[in-house]
Amino acid sequence: MYRKTAGILMTAALALALSVNVMAARSIGGGAGGRGIRQREASARGANSRKNSTSGAVSPSSAITIIYTGDRKQVSFITGDAATAGLPAEVTAVIKKLNDGITLKDAVGIAGLEGFNALTKTDAIAVRDTKGNISDTDTRLRLNIPNLAGNLGSIKILYYANATGRWAILDTSSVDVENKNLSFTAPGSGTFTVIYKK
């Protein structure tokens, strides 16, 4: 009798332990509906969207580093043949002239470039929203420019916007020569070079 009672008690204890383990495992996910898992995924998405994902990306052509990407966007450098893929032939010709050292005014041919020089080679960037889709809307950027110096005078950005198909001279919103950083607002994906006028 003693053995039979002990066996029943052991079976009951084992069944109870298993049901507690099953309930604990289900509660990790937030119960049968998995609400806890969805909450963690939402928190992870929220954290990812706040961290402005591209800090640390380095341009292969100019050694420019993206320090900060605002407006909940993701910005990455486009390299190799992909940097000019799909651009009109006249635009790729301008980019080649800029990288070959042709004067900005002669290479691009827009008003306002007189007296400006290129500080960097051109870099192509893709701007994406938090879902990974191309987002051709204004995006705040802070970049580290290794050859940024205090004697450069007026510093601006020469930018080709893929969405508009036009070159434009953009103002910088801040220039920190000591830390070699500058900030500006990019009008979406495109190609740019940092320019200066003494």
Side-chain angles (χ1 to χ4, degrees):
M1 182 77 171
Y2 176 74
R3 278 186 172 172
K4 194 172 188 180
T5 304
I8 291 171
L9 287 175
M10 287 290 271
T11 304
L14 183 59
L16 180 61
L18 285 175
S19 67
V20 168
N21 283 342
V22 168
M23 288 172 61
R26 288 178 65 188
S27 68
I28 290 171
R35 190 182 74 214
I37 292 170
R38 283 196 297 270
Q39 286 172 336
R40 280 196 306 280
E41 287 172 351
S43 296
R45 281 194 303 271
N48 288 339
S49 66
R50 284 191 302 272
K51 81 175 185 180
N52 298 313
S53 69
T54 21
S55 296
V58 180
S59 147
S61 62
S62 302
I64 292 173
T65 304
I66 298 174
I67 297 172
Y68 171 81
T69 304
D71 308 308
R72 297 176 62 162
K73 304 283 177 59
Q74 301 170 4
V75 179
S76 58
F77 289 106
I78 305 170
T79 61
D81 292 339
T84 55
L87 293 178
E90 60 271 14
V91 175
T92 57
V94 169
I95 292 169
K96 182 176 181 339
K97 288 178 186 178
L98 290 171
N99 290 326
D100 287 346
I102 306 294
T103 65
L104 298 176
K105 184 180 180 215
D106 291 338
V108 183
I110 63 171
L113 286 174
E114 298 81 9
F116 275 96
N117 299 295
L119 181 64
T120 63
K121 298 277 189 185
T122 62
D123 282 299
I125 58 172
V127 178
R128 299 180 185 280
D129 62 21
T130 55
K131 294 180 180 176
N133 301 317
I134 290 292
S135 176
D136 286 320
T137 58
D138 286 353
T139 303
R140 294 172 294 136
L141 294 176
R142 185 179 312 128
L143 307 175
N144 179 266
I145 315 291
N147 57 342
L148 190 63
N151 63 347
L152 297 177
S154 179
I155 299 171
K156 297 190 180 283
I157 306 294
L158 178 61
Y159 204 94
Y160 176 82
N162 292 350
T164 64
R166 293 194 176 129
W167 290 95
I169 301 168
L170 307 178
D171 290 325
T172 54
S173 53
S174 69
V175 176
D176 176 356
V177 174
E178 183 179 344
N179 293 305
K180 301 188 178 298
N181 298 337
L182 65 76
S183 299
F184 74 101
T185 300
S189 302
T191 302
F192 73 95
T193 181
V194 179
I195 62 176
Y196 69 95
K197 181 179 185 179
K198 290 189 176 183

